[in-house]
């Protein structure tokens, strides 16, 4: 339904909620299947952090962006108006987009960007998902400031499969850059070197007191009451870094991953990659004093080439606090929570192995038991030849690159979904993406002599409803590294993972086909592999890419084209009339 055909009741709903920021109470009182309208004005906004004021791209002038709240089954109609000079698209990260591929958002995959002065209405329904997701820009590195949470509450008259929390708090990890991130990535692509680092990590946009020139108001403060259970909705929106997170002397119960319930388990430390979300229950202690504890996050890195931001962001947990003012000196004497080592690969492996789907009658596991289409993708870094008459700063005078099955994705000039729908894909993309590496080697051993990648805009074509098994194998070319791979348009089941090279003869015997975790973003382990399964029940063209932004900029991405089924509800609808033009 277009905006012009919206019912009078819906128009009144828009005018009533023109502030565009529904609170939880309103969402809880809304009827099942409500259509919720938002308007996102993409504007420049002056923001000061670490004694520097810069103009950043925001939604409605907010950093991070405003919260979207809906119930499972609700329809979201979000008008995005571009008031900045950059091209803009927004991706609703993790939303299944069943029969609404035109609303997915990655630039030149499902849509052309929204140009300056133009607008586009994203129209989609939340189907079969409850928990925390998020939205972010999907053009270049603009998501460094343009991002925000999506809170999906259970349907009316249903409850969480765990204790009802006293309060729910979104916590979004990000990065702050004193410089312009568009200049950072443009410089890296020009020189062929790794990009400059961010200047700080942030919690809800705030860097905390450990950074030079951080003012007291730049520290996130979580005020709690004793003996209460809080639900923390954790989102990693960092541009390039996986993170560990911990609160001194407190533990969490993990209950959800990527808006899918999991069998609860306890941990005092959270590991979360860019793109992932995790809901955790957090029970406060029975303290009567104005006690304070530090919360902290810092990166996980396995020493791949290039530098990274090896700093720590800190927030403060405050009990019974009525104090409005805050000074950096007020946390003196508080101990930092001990976080895992920067390169704690074994901790990450143990952490990911703890996740299992809830798998009961209400929340069944639908992992494909048989597979029709099998794929084996290598993912990792590589190199490109330095152009003539140019000096490049990558390995041995080359340029850094990245690839899937040694193909570095070339971004097209027209959206792939539009080309597929209108049948004009000739010359824009090809359908010969290799199912297996064309050149086999010891993927986690010494790198081959030739580290050069090939380039192309290639997709994998899947028949409607086909069952898929994909093994993603990390490579040691230019160093081993964890790669968080995000698949648009689908949830998938993580059926196995391991170190070293995947063994197709022995490893599948250990796959978990009973209660594997369901996710939309999974880490390909450093020096290892991960296996996923999903059913291709969503027609469209769907992006899959590393969510470490520099790796995606270097080409670690590809696309799946899922064909229409025979029934009307198995086909991609026509594009909306306001779909942006290239």
């Amino acid at each position: 339904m277009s905006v012009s055909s919206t019912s009078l009741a819906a128009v009144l709903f828009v005018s009533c909620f023109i502030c565009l920021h529904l609170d939880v109470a309103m969402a809880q009182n809304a009827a099942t299947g409500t259509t919720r309208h938002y308007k996102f004005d993409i504007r420049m906004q002056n923001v000061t952090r670490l004694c520097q004021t810069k103009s950043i791209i925001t939604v409605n002038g907010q950093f991070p962006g405003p919260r979207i709240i809906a119930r499972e089954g609700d329809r979201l109609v979000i008008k995005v108006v571009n008031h900045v000079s950059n091209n803009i698209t927004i991706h609703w990260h993790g939303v299944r987009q069943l029969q609404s591929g035109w609303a997915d958002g990655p630039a030149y995959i499902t849509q052309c960007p929204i140009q300056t002065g133009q607008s586009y209405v994203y129209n989609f329904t939340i189907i079969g998902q409850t928990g925390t997701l998020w939205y972010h820009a999907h053009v270049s590195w603009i998501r460094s400031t343009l991002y925000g949470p999506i809170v999906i509450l259970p349907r009316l008259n249903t409850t969480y499969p765990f204790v009802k929390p006293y309060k729910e708090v979104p916590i979004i990890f990000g990065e702050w850059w004193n410089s312009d991130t568009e200049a950072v990535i443009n410089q890296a692509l020009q020189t062929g070197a790794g990009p400059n680092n961010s200047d700080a990590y942030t919690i809800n946009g705030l860097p905390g007191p450990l950074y030079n020139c951080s003012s007291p108001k730049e520290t996130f403060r979580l005020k709690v009451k004793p003996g209460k259970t809080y639900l923390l909705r954790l989102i990693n929106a960092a541009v390039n870094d996986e993170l560990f997170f911990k609160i001194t002397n407190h533990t969490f119960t993990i209950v959800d991953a990527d808006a899918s319930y999991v069998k609860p388990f306890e941990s005092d430390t959270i590991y979360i990659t860019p793109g992932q979300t995790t809901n955790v229950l957090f029970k406060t202690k029975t303290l009567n004093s104005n006690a304070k504890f530090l919360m902290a996050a810092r990166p996980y890195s396995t020493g791949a080439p290039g530098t990274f931001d090896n700093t720590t962001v800190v927030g403060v947990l405050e009990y019974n606090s009525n104090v409005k003012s805050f000074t950096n000196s007020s946390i003196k004497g508080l101990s930092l929570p001990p976080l895992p080592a920067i390169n704690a690969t074994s901790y990450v492996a143990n952490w990911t192995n703890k996740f299992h789907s809830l798998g009961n009658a209400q929340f069944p596991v639908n992992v494909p038991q048989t597979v029709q289409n099998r794929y084996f993708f290598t993912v990792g870094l590589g190199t490109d030849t330095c152009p003539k008459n140019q000096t490049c700063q990558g390995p041995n005078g080359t340029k850094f690159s990245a690839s899937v099955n040694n193909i570095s994705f070339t971004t097209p000039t027209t959206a792939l979904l539009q080309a597929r729908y209108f049948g004009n894909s000739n010359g824009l993309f090809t359908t010969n993406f290799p199912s297996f590496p064309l050149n086999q080697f010891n993927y986690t051993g010494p790198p081959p002599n030739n580290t050069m990648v090939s380039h192309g805009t290639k997709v994998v074509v899947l028949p409607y409803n086909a069952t898929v098994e994909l093994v993603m194998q990390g490579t040691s070319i230019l160093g081993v590294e964890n790669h968080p791979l995000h698949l648009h348009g689908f949830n998938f089941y993580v059926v196995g993972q391991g170190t070293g090279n995947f063994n197709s003869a022995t490893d599948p015997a250990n796959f978990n086909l009973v209660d594997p975790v369901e996710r939309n973003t999974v880490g390909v382990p450093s020096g290892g592999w991960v296996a996923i399964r999903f059913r291709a029940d969503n027609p469209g063209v769907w992006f899959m890419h590393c969510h470490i932004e520099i790796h995606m900029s270097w080409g670690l991405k590809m696309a799946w084209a899922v064909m229409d089924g025979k029934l009307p509800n198995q086909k991609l609808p026509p594009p909306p009339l306001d779909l942006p033009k290239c």
Side-chain angles (χ1 to χ4, degrees):
M1 183 176 70
S2 68
V3 174
S4 61
S5 62
T6 306
S7 67
L8 176 60
V11 173
L12 292 174
F13 186 91
V14 176
S15 62
C16 179
F17 291 101
I18 198 69
C19 63
L20 309 176
H21 195 135
L22 299 177
D23 61 23
V24 174
M26 291 174 181
Q28 288 175 336
N29 290 328
T32 299
T34 295
T35 298
R36 304 188 180 277
H37 293 258
Y38 288 82
K39 186 182 177 191
F40 277 15
D41 284 301
I42 310 303
R43 297 187 182 278
M44 304 302 296
Q45 180 69 36
N46 285 339
V47 174
T48 301
R49 299 287 187 271
L50 309 181
C51 292
Q52 295 212 28
T53 299
K54 60 181 287 194
S55 188
I56 65 173
I57 300 176
T58 67
V59 174
N60 300 344
Q62 300 181 41
F63 172 67
R67 191 180 310 177
I68 288 178
I69 299 179
R71 286 194 177 278
E72 182 193 349
D74 284 354
R75 182 170 160 227
L76 290 170
V77 179
I78 305 168
K79 183 175 183 179
V80 176
V81 185
N82 184 10
H83 302 279
V84 302
S85 60
N86 305 72
N87 286 341
I88 294 293
T89 70
I90 296 184
H91 170 51
W92 318 94
H93 185 113
V95 174
R96 281 290 318 271
Q97 299 293 0
L98 288 163
Q99 287 194 288
S100 55
W102 304 108
D104 191 46
Y108 300 106
I109 305 298
T110 60
Q111 69 168 99
C112 297
I114 307 167
Q115 299 179 23
T116 305
Q118 302 299 308
S119 65
Y120 180 48
V121 177
Y122 292 90
N123 188 336
F124 56 91
T125 301
I126 305 291
I127 300 173
Q129 295 180 283
T130 304
T132 302
L133 296 172
W134 62 300
Y135 63 85
H136 60 82
H138 217 301
V139 176
S140 191
W141 282 25
I142 295 172
R143 78 170 181 88
S144 62
T145 60
L146 199 166
Y147 61 84
I150 302 175
V151 173
I152 307 172
L153 301 168
R155 289 180 181 270
L156 282 177
N157 303 317
T158 62
T159 60
Y160 294 122
F162 47 80
V163 62
K164 183 180 179 181
Y166 170 73
K167 191 176 181 180
E168 302 182 10
V169 182
I171 292 182
I172 312 179
F173 304 107
E175 289 175 89
W176 174 259
W177 306 68
N178 286 332
S179 54
D180 176 11
T181 52
E182 292 302 278
V184 170
I185 181 54
N186 289 338
Q187 180 187 39
L189 294 178
Q190 176 66 28
T191 64
N196 292 335
N197 295 327
S198 60
D199 293 279
Y201 296 110
T202 58
I203 300 176
N204 289 352
L206 303 171
L210 298 189
Y211 293 102
N212 290 335
C213 217
S214 178
S215 74
K217 64 182 179 181
E218 293 173 24
T219 296
F220 173 68
R221 300 164 65 192
L222 177 56
K223 298 181 180 182
V224 297
K225 295 183 178 181
K228 301 289 187 183
T229 298
Y230 291 76
L231 180 70
L232 303 184
R233 297 177 174 269
L234 306 178
I235 301 167
N236 187 350
V239 175
N240 287 321
D241 289 284
E242 300 149 300
L243 297 169
F244 296 116
F245 172 67
K246 194 169 186 175
I247 301 178
T248 302
N249 295 338
H250 289 74
T251 58
F252 309 106
T253 300
I254 292 82
V255 294
D256 174 293
D258 291 353
S260 294
Y261 295 124
V262 300
K263 288 184 172 67
F265 67 93
E266 289 192 359
S267 178
D268 63 1
T269 305
I270 304 296
Y271 165 72
I272 186 167
T273 77
Q276 288 184 337
T277 64
T278 302
N279 282 1
V280 302
L281 294 176
F282 162 66
K283 189 168 184 179
T284 56
K285 300 176 181 295
T286 53
L287 299 174
N288 295 319
S289 62
N290 292 333
K292 292 185 178 67
F293 298 88
L294 293 184
M295 60 181 74
R298 77 173 183 198
Y300 162 65
S301 177
T302 54
T307 59
F308 64 98
D309 185 357
N310 186 11
T311 61
T312 302
V313 57
V314 164
V316 183
L317 179 72
E318 301 178 339
Y319 279 78
N320 295 320
S321 177
N322 294 318
V323 179
K324 293 184 179 180
S325 62
F326 175 84
T327 63
N328 289 346
S329 62
S330 66
I331 64 169
K332 285 185 177 179
L334 299 181
S335 58
L336 276 171
L339 288 160
I342 294 290
N343 60 350
T345 296
S346 59
Y347 183 92
V348 170
N350 290 335
W351 164 265
T352 53
N353 278 325
K354 291 178 181 178
F355 282 82
H356 296 270
S357 287
L358 199 54
N360 56 27
Q362 187 178 0
F363 303 101
V365 174
N366 296 313
V367 59
Q369 297 295 310
T370 59
V371 174
Q372 297 161 320
N373 298 64
R374 281 189 165 85
Y375 301 91
F376 182 88
F377 291 175
T378 56
V379 297
L381 303 186
T383 56
D384 267 330
T385 303
C386 188
K388 290 183 179 180
N389 302 319
Q390 182 179 337
T391 300
C392 294
Q393 300 173 16
N396 301 314
T398 63
K399 283 189 165 190
F400 273 113
S401 190
S403 65
V404 181
N405 272 356
N406 205 49
I407 297 171
S408 186
F409 186 83
T410 301
T411 301
T413 53
T414 299
L416 297 182
L417 185 60
Q418 290 173 258
R420 185 216 123 173
Y421 185 87
F422 292 109
N424 56 359
S425 60
N426 289 342
L428 188 71
F429 68 89
T430 61
T431 58
N432 60 341
F433 191 94
S435 301
F436 298 87
L438 298 180
N439 297 307
Q440 299 183 19
F441 60 97
N442 181 2
Y443 307 116
T444 55
N449 293 330
N450 183 4
T451 62
M452 295 293 175
V453 303
S454 60
H455 294 264
T457 308
K458 302 174 185 287
V459 304
V460 174
V461 178
L462 291 172
Y464 180 80
N465 218 35
T467 53
V468 177
E469 179 181 286
L470 168 63
V471 176
M472 291 180 282
Q473 172 73 60
T475 68
S476 59
I477 299 174
L478 304 184
V480 295
E481 193 166 357
N482 197 85
H483 294 282
L485 264 291
H486 171 50
L487 176 60
H488 291 226
F490 296 94
N491 280 358
F492 50 76
Y493 289 98
V494 183
V495 297
Q497 68 171 30
T499 58
N501 296 333
F502 175 73
N503 187 319
S504 59
T506 58
D507 285 328
N510 298 316
F511 282 179
N512 175 11
L513 302 180
V514 177
D515 62 350
V517 66
E518 189 176 357
R519 303 207 73 130
N520 63 61
T521 305
V522 66
V524 179
S526 177
W529 56 270
V530 65
I532 67 172
R533 288 188 179 186
F534 64 95
R535 183 178 295 276
D537 58 357
N538 196 8
V541 177
W542 305 105
F543 212 16
M544 189 177 80
H545 60 88
C546 184
H547 225 280
I548 292 176
E549 209 67 23
I550 184 58
H551 294 171
M552 188 165 77
S553 298
W554 284 336
L556 210 167
K557 47 194 174 182
M558 54 82 65
W560 304 80
V562 179
M563 306 310 292
D564 285 346
K566 296 180 180 179
L567 302 177
N569 65 349
Q570 298 172 348
K571 299 180 186 299
L572 179 71
L577 295 177
D578 64 339
L579 188 70
K581 305 292 190 297
C582 285

